[in-house]
């Protein structure tokens, strides 16, 4: 009973000690939780800014897919984009900044496009080396660098990637010749068209005493009294294929394909509203809106290892002298003219193929070979398709 009535205070002291210890532990735990919460928030913010930078870079690559800045676009180079930009070449700020609350308020970003270094280290990036370079594919290798940075809540992340333009082959008949009509002005007993197994076709069907020849020469009088006589003689002028008449394959190329090739020529600086000069006729895709173009020199356009394509949207083209066009000559004949659209004379030759749409005619009048079919020439019939990040070039850098 004496211990129960003892008022010395030892129990109170013990209780207070336990409470103090528990309070200390609670404060320590709260501090740890607060620190972890702050670190988690900071990590979330860093990740959000990183994701914004990545989204900006991806959007800029998509823009390059639609509008590749080829070497012919020096006057239309890509300028830097920011969240305040409002052009089709820049990412849309409202789409990018609505994904996270961490980047909605006060977030900024910037992208820039630069040609890669042509001196050898094409996959090496540094701001000092790449940032001064122009905003288009100046070295014509089909590659540019994209730099994207984003900042929010005092944090900045910067990403870079080397982007390459992919070539898209355009469907087209691999033919020595496809035209509405073929007129041959040379009556010599020699090969003028070496089809070499390629398609040799006209859309017309030979008729007795045609006003305009359908298949090389008129028949019904004189040397070619019958179609059999004409075909027999043509066997000496056309080798490597039996001519197809009444060809129903339609146009050589769709309007969409022609539009892509037009855009490619614009990007490469080989698009012309009128006839280009002889020095301008060489190129992967040379697109001419219209004109009656004539080339009578001894120029070798393109080469066997690097063939090209001449696309005449309307008008005509004539080759003379000893010129040799390595590639595909395509007269789209947008106006659906009924005269001749492609002609060879002198000793000129097209090594590749000739395609003529609509009612227009191919005139073969050269003293020797006029067309030599080369399937390799059709490799040049390609446009810029999508653009994508070159493998192992995407990376984060420290700005500056």
């Amino acid at each position: 009973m004496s211990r129960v009535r003892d008022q010395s205070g030892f129990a109170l002291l013990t209780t207070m000690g336990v409470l103090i210890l528990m309070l200390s532990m609670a404060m320590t735990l709260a501090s740890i939780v607060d620190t972890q919460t702050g670190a988690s928030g900071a990590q979330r913010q860093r990740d959000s800014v990183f994701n914004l930078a990545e989204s900006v870079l991806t959007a800029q690559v998509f823009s390059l897919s639609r509008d590749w800045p080829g070497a012919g676009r020096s006057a239309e180079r890509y300028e830097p984009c920011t969240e305040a930009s409002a052009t089709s070449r820049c990412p849309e700020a409202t789409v990018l900044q609505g994904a996270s609350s961490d980047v909605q308020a006060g977030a900024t970003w910037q992208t820039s496009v630069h040609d890669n270094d042509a001196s050898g280290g094409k996959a090496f990036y540094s701001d000092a080396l790449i940032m001064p370079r122009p905003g288009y594919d100046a070295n014509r290798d089909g590659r540019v660098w994209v730099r994207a940075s984003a900042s929010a809540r005092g944090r900045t992340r910067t990403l870079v990637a080397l982007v390459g333009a992919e070539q898209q082959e355009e469907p087209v008949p691999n033919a020595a010749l496809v035209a509405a009509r073929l007129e041959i002005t040379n009556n010599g007993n020699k090969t003028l068209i070496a089809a070499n197994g390629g398609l040799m076709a006209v859309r017309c069907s030979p008729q007795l005493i045609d006003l305009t020849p359908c298949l090389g020469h008129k028949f019904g009088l004189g040397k070619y009294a019958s179609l059999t006589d004409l075909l027999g003689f043509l066997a000496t002028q056309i080798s490597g294929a039996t001519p197809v008449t009444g060809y129903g394959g339609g146009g050589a190329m769709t309007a969409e394909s022609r539009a892509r090739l037009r855009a490619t020529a614009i990007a490469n600086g080989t698009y012309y509203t009128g006839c280009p000069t002889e020095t301008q006729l060489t190129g992967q895709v040379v697109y001419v809106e219209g004109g009656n173009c004539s080339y009578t020199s001894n120029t070798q356009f393109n080469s066997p290892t690097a063939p090209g394509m001449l696309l005449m949207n309307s008008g005509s083209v004539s080759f003379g002298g000893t010129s040799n066009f390595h590639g595909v000559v395509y007269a789209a004949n947008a106006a659906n003219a009924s005269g001749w659209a492609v002609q060879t004379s002198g000793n000129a030759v097209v090594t590749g193929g000739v395609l003529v749409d609509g009612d227009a005619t191919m005139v073969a009048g050269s003293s020797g070979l006029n067309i030599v079919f080369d399937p390799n020439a059709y490799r040049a019939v390609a446009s810029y398709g999508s653009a994508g990040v070159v493998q192992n070039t995407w990376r984060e850098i420290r700005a500056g």
Side-chain angles (χ1 to χ4, degrees):
M1 293 296 292
S2 61
R3 290 184 178 181
V4 174
R5 292 192 292 268
D6 188 357
Q7 298 182 9
S8 60
F10 288 107
L12 179 61
L13 290 174
T14 303
T15 301
M16 291 298 294
V18 171
L19 288 175
I20 292 171
L21 178 61
M22 292 178 66
L23 181 61
S24 176
M25 293 176 63
M27 292 178 65
T28 302
L29 182 60
S31 176
I32 293 173
V33 170
D34 184 66
T35 300
Q36 292 296 322
T37 301
S40 177
Q43 181 63 46
R44 187 189 69 247
Q45 291 173 3
R46 285 195 295 270
D47 290 345
S48 296
V49 176
F50 179 89
N51 292 337
L52 175 60
E54 186 177 30
S55 297
V56 170
L57 187 143
T58 301
Q60 189 65 79
V61 172
F62 178 72
S63 176
L64 290 170
S65 296
R66 297 177 301 169
D67 188 8
W68 181 255
R73 307 293 290 276
S74 59
E76 305 172 40
R77 65 190 65 200
Y78 269 68
E79 299 296 337
C81 297
T82 69
E83 69 282 352
S85 301
T87 72
S88 61
R89 285 185 162 190
C90 293
E92 294 186 30
T94 55
V95 175
L96 293 170
Q97 291 181 275
S100 170
S101 60
D102 291 319
V103 298
Q104 284 178 351
T108 61
W109 51 262
Q110 184 182 61
T111 66
S112 58
V113 175
H114 307 276
D115 191 27
N116 63 323
D117 179 25
S119 63
K122 296 184 179 181
F124 173 77
Y125 182 92
S126 75
D127 278 349
L129 176 67
I130 300 300
M131 291 288 280
R133 297 188 62 80
Y136 67 100
D137 183 19
N139 61 22
R140 300 176 181 269
D141 70 345
R143 294 185 173 188
V144 295
W145 281 102
V146 175
R147 183 185 190 275
S149 64
S151 299
R153 300 184 184 275
R155 308 181 189 282
T156 299
R157 308 291 291 268
T158 302
L159 306 176
V160 297
L162 185 63
V163 178
E166 299 178 4
Q167 291 285 317
Q168 173 179 317
E169 292 187 8
E170 298 294 349
V172 64
N174 285 21
L177 172 66
V178 174
R181 293 173 177 270
L182 168 64
E183 180 178 354
I184 298 176
T185 60
N186 189 318
N187 290 310
N189 188 3
K190 54 189 173 183
T191 300
L192 302 178
I193 299 175
N196 297 334
L199 176 65
M200 168 67 216
V202 291
R203 286 184 283 276
C204 61
S205 296
Q207 302 294 325
L208 187 66
I209 315 180
D210 277 336
L211 294 178
T212 302
C214 170
L215 187 60
H217 309 274
K218 299 177 183 178
F219 74 95
L221 295 172
K223 182 176 181 180
Y224 317 116
S226 67
L227 180 58
T228 301
D229 294 335
L230 173 59
L231 294 175
F233 178 71
L234 284 176
T236 67
Q237 292 192 324
I238 301 173
S239 67
T242 300
V244 175
T245 60
Y247 179 70
M253 191 173 292
T254 65
E256 291 78 10
S257 290
R258 292 196 301 272
R260 286 191 292 267
L261 290 168
R262 182 179 184 273
T264 298
I266 290 173
N268 290 343
T270 53
Y271 167 83
Y272 306 97
T273 57
C275 297
T277 66
E278 291 188 349
T279 57
Q280 295 171 327
L281 201 62
T282 293
Q284 178 191 347
V285 179
V286 177
Y287 190 106
V288 181
E289 283 291 355
N292 297 313
C293 309
S294 179
Y295 305 96
T296 59
S297 71
N298 304 325
T299 305
Q300 301 297 297
F301 302 105
N302 305 306
S303 70
T305 56
M309 180 184 192
L310 171 61
L311 198 163
M312 299 287 301
N313 186 53
S314 63
S316 63
V317 60
S318 173
F319 294 99
T322 58
S323 59
N324 188 343
F325 186 91
H326 294 276
V328 178
V329 178
Y330 174 35
N333 194 18
N336 198 27
S338 58
W340 65 266
V342 181
Q343 176 178 259
T344 55
S345 61
N347 292 305
V349 59
V350 174
T351 303
V354 175
L355 306 171
V356 181
D357 282 355
D359 294 331
T361 299
M362 162 69 192
V363 176
S366 178
S367 61
L369 283 169
N370 287 244
I371 301 172
V372 178
F373 174 63
D374 180 4
N376 293 324
Y378 284 86
R379 295 198 313 267
V381 186
S383 62
Y384 287 132
S386 62
V389 174
V390 177
Q391 188 175 10
N392 298 326
T393 63
W394 183 96
R395 68 197 72 162
E396 182 175 12
I397 64 168
R398 290 184 179 271

